[in-house]
Amino acid sequence: LMDSDEESEELPLVVEKNQGSTEAFTAFGEDGILEAIRDKYSIKSCESEINLLLKKFKPKKAKIVVLIDWNYDALSTFVAALKDDVKVSPPEWITTTIEAMTVSSFNNDIIALATRYGGTAFGRLVLVMNSLHEYRDVTWMLREVEACTDLQPCMKKMAEGVFLASLYIISGTSVAQVSPFMNLALDDDKRNMFK
């Protein structure tokens, strides 16, 4: 849970649809934080911008923040495996055809699904929830991605120990204050996509 004693401002959020697949959050003022993190896959590539974002949250208002550190190479391999497997029928939450799918569109669809019932996505890397209820909804939807039987054959083609992303929970106001997300193992015949 985030709780800061520093003076911060409430983030003004204006919701815009981003090509029908995700919501883009703008109006961050002149600092351009969202623009700096919008298309990033790695936390390390924009750690200072994420730290600035975390400091903007209103103090004394509990928030749960999950960071997603995407493995771009694994995502690329996974999307290529989806395209190679002609038997795969995409789940309803994927907004493109398999043939037209890109790493970016697949990633956007995962974020859109994760925040379908609650939570706010800041780019691809930061998910913010205002309650335990929203946290449950977001993590449940991420679990739905992992458990999707249509996607599991492609995950099984990945090298052992490779995940699409690593998830972390922020316990303070900087990226340095993270705890690994404790993801439960799936059934024996399924592989986790997130660690």
Side-chain angles (χ1 to χ4, degrees), residues 63-76:
K63 297 194 185 294
I64 303 166
V65 180
V66 172
L67 295 182
I68 306 175
D69 198 17
W70 295 98
N71 180 338
Y72 189 84
D73 292 337
L75 283 168
S76 296

Side-chain angles (χ1 to χ4, degrees), residues 6-34:
E6 295 179 28
E7 206 55 41
S8 299
E9 60 186 272
E10 181 67 29
L11 288 175
L13 300 177
V14 177
V15 180
E16 300 175 338
K17 290 293 178 187
N18 179 15
Q19 300 174 356
S21 64
T22 63
E23 293 179 339
F25 295 88
T26 57
F28 280 77
E30 299 301 315
D31 52 21
I33 295 171
L34 181 65

